[in-house]
């Protein structure tokens, strides 16, 4: 592939420039100005379009192996590419769970065979994600991006501390789904306005921030690199803010749905059911402020596809999880950047630099001599979200029917188009 993308506004990862990007055999050979042999390249005219380094999502459920009726490596990575992503970290709630090398090999074989972008698998913290016995962390460390039991919280503080000690010795990160199951005596809807409207008991915020507070102290004690998944509550943001001020080696993520929505906007549909739940307006505002002041480091979709049947039982009975890879950038660009709540550079930091740096994924820049790893958007294109257009097998999105700005036209990964809008 020798392709020249012309007429671009380019964010290199450090600065904005105008011009072109030339790719030859999967490597960027020119940025800004055309190469001397430009006539030998296939030209893609990109007048009015904007190029960014490929986005990275550190929290994605690709469902394979074990749940391929929901999603596969092939469909999930195509969905990621359509959303501008060139790197995703795949969560371990699979069958078999990647808690030993033999089980990990099943997942890795599917990745090697079908992924159109980079996929970094997680290893489980505990065997079978059951929270009873630690997985074979030492054997798994060099083949996985980090350790996580996402989907389940590690309930035992002693077990979490032991995991942190071993992860620290391996120079690996603990990535935690923080949920105190002893406090889950309600439906997975925030214990707030909408739950009262439905007449049901919701899930309290302490079920999230309580385990975070516990783990902060354990991370401070052990020195492990610690990352909090899908932060949704204002108390969680403040605990993490204070932990950072103390020098604890902690980062966190939140999702686009928590930044854009609050429980006042919920409807009795499965596409609004996720764990943790969308919370109150003050929680939403705290997350936005956390993103602005650096408390919230990464934006991660928690892309979690299910079958249509599993999501057709309303907000109280559907399975937890929504899809997000194909709408994340557009939703945040439309609702936060265009109204002036967040700069485009700050959004890109949460989608590119911070996740790539914290998780050691590499990439994150558009410069000569590096692998072609970038995405091209039309920021002026508005469209109505139609899940039937999704590459993902999952169609359950809280943004269905919304009019959003920012459409991905191309995603280039190495020597191929991972996504090219027809």
């Amino acid at each position: 592939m020798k392709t020249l993308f012309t007429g671009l506004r380019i964010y290199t990862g450090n600065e904005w420039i105008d011009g072109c990007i030339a790719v030859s055999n999967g490597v960027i050979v020119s940025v800004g100005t055309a190469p001397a042999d430009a006539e030998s390249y296939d030209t893609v005219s990109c007048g009015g379009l904007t190029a960014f380094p490929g986005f990275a999502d550190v929290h994605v459920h690709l469902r394979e192996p074990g749940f391929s009726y929901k999603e596969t490596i092939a469909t999930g990575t195509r969905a990621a590419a359509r959303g501008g992503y060139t790197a995703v970290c795949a969560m371990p709630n699979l069958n078999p769970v990647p808690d030993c090398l033999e089980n990990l090999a099943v997942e890795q074989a599917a990745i090697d065979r079908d992924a159109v972008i980079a996929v970094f698998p997680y290893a489980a913290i505990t065997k079978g994600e059951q929270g009873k016995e630690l997985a074979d962390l030492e054997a798994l460390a060099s083949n996985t991006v980090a350790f996580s039991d996402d989907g389940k919280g590690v309930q035992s503080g002693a077990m979490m501390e032991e995991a942190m000690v071993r992860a620290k010795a391996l120079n690996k990160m603990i990535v935690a789904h923080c949920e105190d199951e002893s406090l889950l005596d309600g439906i997975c809807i925030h214990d707030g306005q909408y739950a009262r409207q439905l007449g049901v008991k919701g899930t309290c915020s302490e079920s999230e921030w309580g385990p975070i507070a516990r783990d902060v102290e354990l991370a401070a004690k052990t020195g492990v690199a610690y990352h909090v998944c899908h932060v949704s509550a204002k108390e969680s943001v403040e605990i993490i803010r204070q932990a950072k001020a103390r020098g604890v080696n902690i980062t966190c993520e939140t999702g686009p749905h928590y930044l854009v929505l609050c429980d006042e906007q919920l409807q009795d549909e499965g596409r609004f059911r996720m764990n943790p739940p969308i919370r109150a307006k003050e929680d939403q505002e705290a997350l936005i402020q956390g993103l602005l002041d650096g408390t919230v480091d990464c934006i991660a979709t928690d892309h979690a596809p299910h079958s249509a049947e599993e999501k057709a039982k309303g907000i109280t009975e559907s399975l937890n999880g929504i899809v997000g890879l194909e709408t994340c950038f557009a939703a945040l660009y439309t609702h936060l950047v265009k109204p002036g709540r967040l700069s485009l550079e700050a959004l890109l930091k949460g989608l590119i630099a911070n996740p790539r740096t914290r998780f050691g994924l590499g990439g994150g820049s558009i410069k000569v001599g590096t692998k072609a790893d970038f995405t091209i958007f039309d920021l002026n294109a508005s469209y109505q979200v139609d899940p039937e257009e999704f590459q993902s097998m999952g169609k359950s999105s809280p943004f269905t029917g919304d009019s959003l700005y920012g459409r991905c036209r191309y995603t280039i990964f190495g020597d191929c188009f991972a996504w090219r809008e027809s």
Side-chain angles (χ1 to χ4, degrees), residues 8 71 339:
L8 287 166
E71 189 80 286

Side-chain angles (χ1 to χ4, degrees), residues 21 134 150 337:
I21 302 173
L134 290 180
D150 185 64
V337 175

Side-chain angles (χ1 to χ4, degrees), residues 1 23-27 86 371-374 412-417:
M1 169 177 153
V23 177
S24 178
N25 297 318
V27 176
T86 58
K371 179 178 180 176
D373 185 340
F374 58 92
I412 296 86
F413 185 66
D415 201 25
C416 68
F417 285 87

Side-chain angles (χ1 to χ4, degrees), residues 53-56 80-81 84-88 117-120 356 373-375 411-413 418:
F55 304 153
Y85 292 88
T86 58
V88 296
I117 60 169
V119 177
F120 300 86
R356 287 184 178 276
D373 185 340
F374 58 92
T375 186
T411 298
I412 296 86
F413 185 66

Side-chain angles (χ1 to χ4, degrees), residues 131-183:
K132 297 178 180 178
E133 184 180 354
L134 290 180
D136 192 354
L137 306 186
E138 287 74 18
L140 291 160
S142 62
N143 298 285
T144 52
V145 68
F147 300 122
S148 181
D149 268 8
D150 185 64
K152 297 183 180 179
V154 177
Q155 300 304 299
S156 166
M159 182 158 289
M160 178 59 92
E161 182 175 354
E162 183 183 352
M164 287 183 174
V165 169
R166 287 170 60 178
K168 169 66 174 176
L170 295 164
N171 195 31
K172 300 297 284 190
M173 187 157 47
I174 292 289
V175 177
H177 173 110
C178 291
E179 185 173 41
D180 184 343
E181 294 176 1
S182 72
L183 297 175

Side-chain angles (χ1 to χ4, degrees), residues 12-353:
T12 66
N14 298 303
E15 61 180 345
W16 290 94
I17 62 174
D18 295 316
C20 63
I21 302 173
V23 177
S24 178
N25 297 318
V27 176
I28 297 173
V29 296
S30 180
V31 179
T33 58
D37 58 342
E39 69 281 353
S40 67
Y41 285 70
D42 294 327
T43 299
V44 177
S45 179
C46 299
L49 304 185
T50 304
F52 309 115
F55 304 153
D57 192 335
V58 299
H59 192 145
V60 170
H61 299 269
L62 296 179
R63 303 300 194 198
E64 187 179 8
F67 306 95
S68 295
Y69 71 95
K70 301 174 188 274
E71 189 80 286
T72 65
I73 299 294
T75 60
T77 57
R78 284 202 304 270
R82 184 173 183 258
Y85 292 88
T86 58
V88 296
C89 299
M91 285 298 178
N93 53 341
L94 304 167
N95 185 17
V97 172
D99 55 10
C100 63
L101 285 177
E102 180 182 6
N103 290 353
L104 177 63
V106 181
E107 179 186 6
Q108 190 63 57
I111 293 169
D112 293 343
R113 182 184 66 240
D114 293 332
V116 300
I117 60 169
V119 177
F120 300 86
Y122 280 95
I125 296 173
T126 65
K127 289 185 177 180
E129 291 194 314
Q130 295 301 304
K132 297 178 180 178
E133 184 180 354
L134 290 180
D136 192 354
L137 306 186
E138 287 74 18
L140 291 160
S142 62
N143 298 285
T144 52
V145 68
F147 300 122
S148 181
D149 268 8
D150 185 64
K152 297 183 180 179
V154 177
Q155 300 304 299
S156 166
M159 182 158 289
M160 178 59 92
E161 182 175 354
E162 183 183 352
M164 287 183 174
V165 169
R166 287 170 60 178
K168 169 66 174 176
L170 295 164
N171 195 31
K172 300 297 284 190
M173 187 157 47
I174 292 289
V175 177
H177 173 110
C178 291
E179 185 173 41
D180 184 343
E181 294 176 1
S182 72
L183 297 175
L184 300 182
D185 56 350
I187 292 173
C188 195
I189 302 169
H190 175 61
D191 187 18
Q193 176 176 317
Y194 188 70
R196 290 189 290 273
Q197 179 181 324
L198 282 184
V200 300
K201 182 174 177 57
T203 299
C204 66
S205 297
E206 188 179 355
S207 63
E208 172 182 297
W209 63 256
I212 294 175
R214 179 201 73 180
D215 286 357
V216 162
E217 297 310 314
L218 295 176
K221 179 179 178 181
T222 62
V224 75
Y226 176 71
H227 180 84
V228 187
C229 293
H230 44 50
V231 170
S232 68
K234 63 182 185 297
E235 296 91 345
S236 303
V237 176
E238 186 57 30
I239 289 167
I240 294 165
R241 180 180 288 116
Q242 292 180 16
K244 287 188 172 189
R246 289 168 49 198
V248 179
N249 188 356
I250 183 173
T251 52
C252 71
E253 67 191 48
T254 195
H257 39 290
Y258 304 120
L259 291 164
V260 171
L261 301 171
C262 70
D263 68 345
E264 298 171 17
Q265 297 157 281
L266 296 178
Q267 301 173 38
D268 189 10
E269 298 178 22
R271 65 193 181 97
F272 292 98
R273 173 73 180 252
M274 72 284 293
N275 186 27
I278 291 169
R279 300 197 187 272
K281 185 70 175 178
E282 54 264 33
D283 297 291
Q284 178 193 9
E285 286 299 317
L287 291 165
I288 294 171
Q289 289 304 312
L291 196 59
L292 289 169
D293 69 21
T295 301
V296 177
D297 306 271
C298 304
I299 298 166
T301 64
D302 193 6
H303 177 86
H306 292 292
S307 70
E309 181 181 6
E310 290 167 334
K311 295 299 289 183
K313 302 175 183 178
I315 196 169
T316 60
E317 299 295 332
S318 294
L319 292 187
N320 291 318
I322 57 170
V323 295
L325 287 166
E326 295 172 76
T327 54
C328 178
F329 175 84
L332 295 174
Y333 181 74
T334 301
H335 292 287
L336 294 183
V337 175
K338 285 183 71 66
R341 297 295 310 277
L342 187 71
S343 71
L344 179 54
E345 291 79 6
L347 173 57
L348 296 174
K349 189 175 182 180
L351 291 171
I352 304 170

